[in-house]
Amino acid sequence: MSDKKQDTTHFGYQEVPVDEKVKRVADVFHSVAGKYDLMNDLMSGGIHRLWKRLTIEQSGARAGMQVLDIAGGTGDLTRKFSRLVGPSGKVVLADINDSMLKVGRDKLINAGAAGNIEYVQANAECLPFADNTFDIITIAFGLRNVTDKDAALRSMQRVLKPGGKLMVLEFSKTDNPLLTKAYDFYSFNILPQMGKLIADDAESYRYLAESIRMHPDQETLKQMMNDAGFVGCRYQNMTGGVVALHTGIKP
């Protein structure tokens, strides 16, 4: 027997039918794909590059490894992992959104990316890979858009090799009241206007701001990873908790 909680989910601050959220999120990223890199730089003042660099540095990626970059979008992490794992390794850039995947593939090919990259359109909740395939899985700024986050974490745990590492880089919660106030003002006033000006799409960026607020806080996500079967789960706050990097190991 189903109930309202199972049948609906959050799309930003709205409550929508579960099957409708996937389409709505897809529409957002179809809309923003072409300006995604530019908007990331503008929205974060370029700091997203530092957050991603720290993720790479802490990944432990080395030659010969198999890496899965979920919600990899325009390929920032994939490109760096490709260099680290070398010709004997492999990086899979996976995204549920074909517009984002095409932008990422074109960007990487134009940059002369190595032949050790594969591109797969995939839903994080039911990853189309065999058990125990990957040494490292990353999902950067993508988990908050997943409808069933618990299912996605279990799916990631399944396809990791024993001893493999999951890294979740995501906007999170700051415990500094002044920073929170400034962040909220920026997110709900400045960000949609930037989206309107640069990408001619204020609504998509309003959703992105709302989706950040609806995402689980640091301790909640850490517990979700524990519940999905990961061990040694921990997180590191960046920029005062605006962003957090969660890591967990498959036993």
Side-chain angles (χ1 to χ4, degrees):
M1 189 174 90
S2 66
D3 58 25
K4 189 172 189 287
K5 209 165 192 180
Q6 290 173 317
D7 293 338
T8 62
T9 188
H10 288 288
F11 175 77
Y13 289 164
Q14 300 176 53
E15 197 159 306
V16 299
V18 166
D19 56 359
E20 189 180 313
K21 176 170 179 174
V22 174
K23 181 185 182 303
R24 288 205 186 190
V25 171
D27 288 344
V28 166
F29 285 94
H30 285 313
S31 174
V32 304
K35 297 287 178 70
Y36 188 76
D37 285 335
L38 174 61
M39 284 299 295
N40 271 353
D41 281 332
L42 291 173
M43 287 188 302
S44 71
I47 298 174
H48 75 100
R49 298 177 186 277
L50 298 178
W51 298 330
K52 290 170 181 172
R53 185 187 303 166
L54 187 65
T55 302
I56 294 287
E57 288 173 354
Q58 297 196 8
S59 69
R62 58 185 185 274
M65 281 189 164
Q66 309 283 305
V67 179
L68 173 60
D69 183 15
I70 299 174
T74 56
D76 285 350
L77 291 178
T78 291
R79 186 177 179 186
K80 291 181 172 64
F81 277 127
S82 170
R83 292 172 183 157
L84 289 171
V85 304
S88 61
K90 183 174 74 173
V91 185
V92 177
L93 172 58
D95 204 293
I96 194 172
N97 188 280
D98 64 321
S99 294
M100 292 294 290
L101 203 58
K102 286 171 185 169
V103 169
R105 184 176 59 221
D106 290 348
K107 177 182 165 186
L108 288 167
I109 290 171
N110 288 341
N116 61 354
I117 300 173
E118 291 183 11
Y119 305 89
V120 177
Q121 189 171 355
N123 185 336
E125 296 173 26
C126 46
L127 293 166
F129 308 107
D131 296 0
N132 310 317
T133 297
F134 296 99
D135 298 287
I136 299 167
I137 294 178
T138 55
I139 178 166
F141 307 113
L143 187 61
R144 73 180 188 279
N145 298 309
V146 174
T147 302
D148 190 338
K149 296 172 180 60
D150 293 307
L153 290 169
R154 290 193 300 271
S155 186
M156 294 176 211
Q157 203 264 8
R158 178 185 65 78
V159 302
L160 267 176
K161 295 176 182 176
K165 181 186 288 188
L166 170 65
M167 310 184 79
V168 181
L169 182 65
E170 187 56 88
F171 291 108
S172 201
K173 306 289 190 290
T174 171
D175 58 7
N176 180 318
L178 285 176
L179 184 56
T180 300
K181 192 171 183 179
Y183 187 32
D184 280 345
F185 179 82
Y186 172 78
S187 297
F188 294 102
N189 294 278
I190 309 299
L191 186 54
Q193 290 305 312
M194 287 171 62
K196 175 67 176 170
L197 186 66
I198 305 298
D200 195 27
D201 187 351
E203 283 307 308
S204 288
Y205 284 91
R206 188 169 289 112
Y207 157 73
L208 293 174
E210 292 176 359
S211 71
I212 291 167
R213 294 306 176 278
M214 298 303 295
H215 187 66
D217 65 20
Q218 287 92 325
E219 286 292 333
T220 303
L221 180 54
K222 179 183 171 185
Q223 186 57 51
M224 290 167 67
M225 290 171 65
N226 282 327
D227 293 344
F230 291 95
V231 297
C233 298
R234 56 184 291 274
Y235 60 86
Q236 176 179 350
N237 284 333
M238 306 179 196
T239 318
V242 169
V243 163
L245 174 63
H246 282 71
T247 57
I249 305 296
K250 178 173 177 173

